[in-house]
Amino acid sequence: VLMKILYGARVARWDLLRAIGLLASRVTKWSLACDRALHRLVCYVHSSAEMTLSGYVGRYDTPADWSVNVYADSDLAGDRPGFKSTSGYIAVIEGPHTFLPFGCKSKGLATVCNSTPQAELAAAHLAMRSVGIPALDVFERVCDREVELILHEDNQAAIQVNTTGRNPTMRHIQRSLGISIRWLHDLFFPKDEIGQP
C-alpha cells in the first residue's frame, strides 16, 4: 500500500512525501504505532483525493518575467523517537501570473539539531545545493539571460546568519551537519570580502 501511495505522491501529491518517507524508514522496525500512522495516511488520502499538485503559466508572461524561487523549511526534532529534524524545499518558477512547481524534496537529517536556526540553515543548504544552483544552469539557457534566484526563509535568526556569513554560537555546524555558512552567504553576497552586506 505504501509504495502505491508513493508512486502517486511523486507525481501529484508532494504533501504526502514526508509521511511516506517516515513510514518507509520504519519498515524493518514496524510497530503498532506505524499501523496507526499508515491507517491515518490512507484515510487522509481517501478524504483528499480531489487535491492534486497544479501549476499555471500566465497567458501574457514570457520567460523574461520568470525567476527561480526556492522555499526551504525545516522542523526541529520532529522525527520521534530519535529527535532528528526533517528538511524540505519546493522549487518554483514564478512570474507576475506564473507559479509552476518543478522540484521538491523532504529529507531527514543524520544528526540532531540543537536549535531551530540550525535546522533552517540545513534546509536552506539542502535546497540551494540540490535544486537552486542546478536550476539556474537550466533556466538561464531556456530564458537566454541571467535568471534571478530567490531563497525564501521564514526564520529571522537563520536570515541574519546567512546575511552576515558568521555565527559564533553555531561554529560546530560544518562539522556536525556538513553545512558551510560562508558558502550560503557567498551565494547571495559574492562581492562581500569581510562578511558585511
Side-chain angles (χ1 to χ4, degrees), residues 77-96:
D79 185 13
R80 304 297 168 88
F83 294 95
K84 293 183 179 173
S85 299
T86 302
S87 296
Y89 64 78
I90 182 168
V92 181
I93 291 295
E94 286 189 44

Side-chain angles (χ1 to χ4, degrees), residues 48-112:
S48 61
E50 73 285 350
M51 294 174 54
T52 57
L53 178 70
S54 62
Y56 52 89
V57 177
R59 178 184 223 173
Y60 299 108
D61 284 6
T62 64
D65 301 320
W66 293 348
S67 63
V68 175
N69 288 258
V70 179
Y71 296 84
D73 203 5
S74 186
D75 69 346
L76 179 64
D79 185 13
R80 304 297 168 88
F83 294 95
K84 293 183 179 173
S85 299
T86 302
S87 296
Y89 64 78
I90 182 168
V92 181
I93 291 295
E94 286 189 44
H97 305 287
T98 299
F99 186 87
L100 190 64
F102 65 88
C104 76
K105 188 170 190 174
S106 175
K107 180 180 179 187
L109 299 178
T111 60
V112 176

Side-chain angles (χ1 to χ4, degrees), residues 84-149:
K84 293 183 179 173
S85 299
T86 302
S87 296
Y89 64 78
I90 182 168
V92 181
I93 291 295
E94 286 189 44
H97 305 287
T98 299
F99 186 87
L100 190 64
F102 65 88
C104 76
K105 188 170 190 174
S106 175
K107 180 180 179 187
L109 299 178
T111 60
V112 176
C113 292
N114 295 318
S115 64
T116 301
Q118 185 178 359
E120 293 285 347
L121 287 167
H125 188 270
L126 172 70
M128 297 308 293
R129 183 176 43 86
S130 299
V131 75
I133 301 301
L136 283 182
D137 292 336
V138 173
F139 288 106
E140 285 180 356
R141 197 171 265 266
V142 168
C143 298
D144 199 26
R145 66 174 175 87
E146 280 194 21
V147 176
E148 185 179 22
L149 173 62

